[in-house]
Amino acid sequence: RKLKQAALDSLNEVIIPNNSQLEIQCTISSQEEDSAAKKLSACDRDATLLQSQLEPLSTPQLAKRLERTFGVLLDKETEQAYNRDYVMATLLECYKKHGPREIRKEKGIPVSKHRLDALMQELNAVNWPHTTRERPKIKAEHYMIIQKPGSGVEDSVRTKKETAKLIKYKKLFDLAVDTLAEVDPVFAERFTALAVTHNFVGSPHIDTLNVGPFYGLSLGEFSSGGRIAVECSPLLVAEIDTKGSFGKIDGRFPHWVTPYEGERFSLIYYVTSGSVEPQTTAIFAP
């Protein structure tokens, strides 16, 4: 808004004095209009609503779903075919006629009690960073990322900061790695970063930087949900119970956390560098 105003002022100063009959008009939105037009982030979405679950998809992906799942062809010669609001509304109407999506409940790979107890002891003692959450577009009371050694550029300022953080939370990180190694030692070597969250809520999103699946483990005194939900197909959603168990999920598909009551911690092991694994399935068998 400030840039538009500055450009308009400059044009008036340079052009108008020599062109007395010329008038320059420029529409500058108000701060209120800018705020209203701002696209909602994952943290703003109600994960229980179908539209919220579809929002991570691009407009072309929504249009493709209309065609392939519901047989609705949009006229690409019209502006409506590229209008996100229209495409979304049309898709939601198709889902309404079809009925609710199928929800499949899945179990994860159980983690031994002594591992869970050790992790909980460390999580309860975490001195969370006092800065803003490290992934602000996600809704969580706390969200911290610990980079694995060797995942960054050697001797860079960023790598030095990440190393200092790793040293600070080394006991938690080592426990997390050892816990995953009991289930999948290969992935325990491959993953590049660990997200540690506290009271992660809803937040339908896609992990666009991931190059493959992630492992998720949740802990704490919570009930009535807290599963990781992921879209397996346009008409099927899987809900994986990761409480005290590992779930392997491809975060490049839309996913979120189902509602729950209580206090929930989670550990997410993911990969953002190396060879890219093709997207084949949203969930993987234990």
Side-chain angles (χ1 to χ4, degrees), residues 7-29:
L8 179 60
D9 293 341
S10 297
L11 286 171
N12 282 326
E13 290 175 6
V14 174
I15 298 176
I16 295 301
N18 300 318
N19 299 272
S20 58
Q21 296 184 0
L22 178 66
E23 179 183 4
I24 299 176
Q25 296 183 346
C26 178
T27 301
I28 302 176
S29 61

Side-chain angles (χ1 to χ4, degrees), residues 12 47 65 75 85 140 143 183 211 214 221 242-243 250 254 257 268 280:
N12 282 326
R65 180 166 299 191
D75 185 352
D85 291 340
Y143 192 110
V183 170
V211 298
F214 69 80
E221 296 297 325
T242 59
K243 185 175 183 180
D250 195 330
V257 172
I268 304 296
T280 54

Side-chain angles (χ1 to χ4, degrees), residues 50-258:
L50 175 60
Q51 180 171 345
S52 297
Q53 298 167 12
L54 298 176
E55 284 293 355
L57 299 172
S58 67
T59 303
Q61 287 174 318
L62 296 176
K64 185 180 293 185
R65 180 166 299 191
L66 265 175
E67 179 180 344
R68 293 184 177 181
T69 304
F70 298 105
V72 176
L73 292 173
L74 298 174
D75 185 352
K76 295 182 180 179
E77 298 300 319
T78 66
E79 291 185 3
Q80 286 183 327
Y82 306 95
N83 182 298
R84 183 174 180 84
D85 291 340
Y86 175 79
V87 175
M88 177 66 82
T90 305
L91 183 58
L92 289 173
E93 185 62 30
C94 289
Y95 272 110
K96 183 178 179 180
K97 292 177 180 177
H98 176 274
R101 297 202 281 185
E102 179 186 352
I103 296 178
R104 193 169 75 201
K105 300 292 181 70
E106 298 286 349
K107 294 182 179 180
I109 306 170
V111 174
S112 58
K113 186 177 183 302
H114 77 278
R115 290 287 186 190
L116 294 174
D117 290 343
L119 283 170
M120 272 307 307
Q121 184 174 344
E122 283 303 306
L123 287 168
N124 282 321
V126 166
N127 181 17
W128 296 94
H130 295 296
T131 57
T132 55
R133 288 177 293 109
E134 295 178 29
R135 198 173 179 185
K137 292 185 178 181
I138 294 299
K139 189 173 183 180
E141 197 168 322
H142 298 101
Y143 192 110
M144 174 175 65
I145 299 171
I146 305 175
Q147 296 290 339
K148 196 174 185 181
S151 61
V153 178
E154 189 176 357
D155 292 330
S156 69
V157 174
R158 179 176 178 178
T159 298
K160 289 178 180 178
K161 289 182 178 180
E162 290 170 351
T163 300
K165 184 195 286 188
L166 175 63
I167 293 172
K168 182 177 180 179
Y169 300 104
K170 191 173 189 307
K171 187 175 181 181
L172 172 60
F173 184 83
D174 288 346
L175 279 171
V177 174
D178 291 344
T179 302
L180 177 60
E182 288 190 349
V183 170
D184 191 335
V186 174
F187 197 90
E189 288 289 332
R190 186 179 180 228
F191 84 94
T192 57
L194 174 71
V196 185
T197 81
H198 179 215
N199 289 339
F200 187 113
V201 178
S203 305
H205 67 286
I206 288 174
D207 296 322
T208 56
L209 298 180
N210 287 15
V211 298
F214 69 80
Y215 269 99
L217 168 68
S218 59
L219 311 90
E221 296 297 325
F222 65 93
S223 59
S224 303
R227 294 168 173 254
I228 298 179
V230 60
E231 185 182 272
C232 296
S233 74
L235 300 176
L236 173 64
V237 171
E239 293 184 357
I240 302 92
D241 185 2
T242 59
K243 185 175 183 180
S245 300
F246 274 114
K248 188 178 182 182
I249 298 142
D250 195 330
R252 294 170 294 180
F253 292 88
H255 61 288
W256 58 94
V257 172
T258 64

Side-chain angles (χ1 to χ4, degrees), residues 2 49 157 286:
K2 290 181 180 179
L49 301 178
V157 174

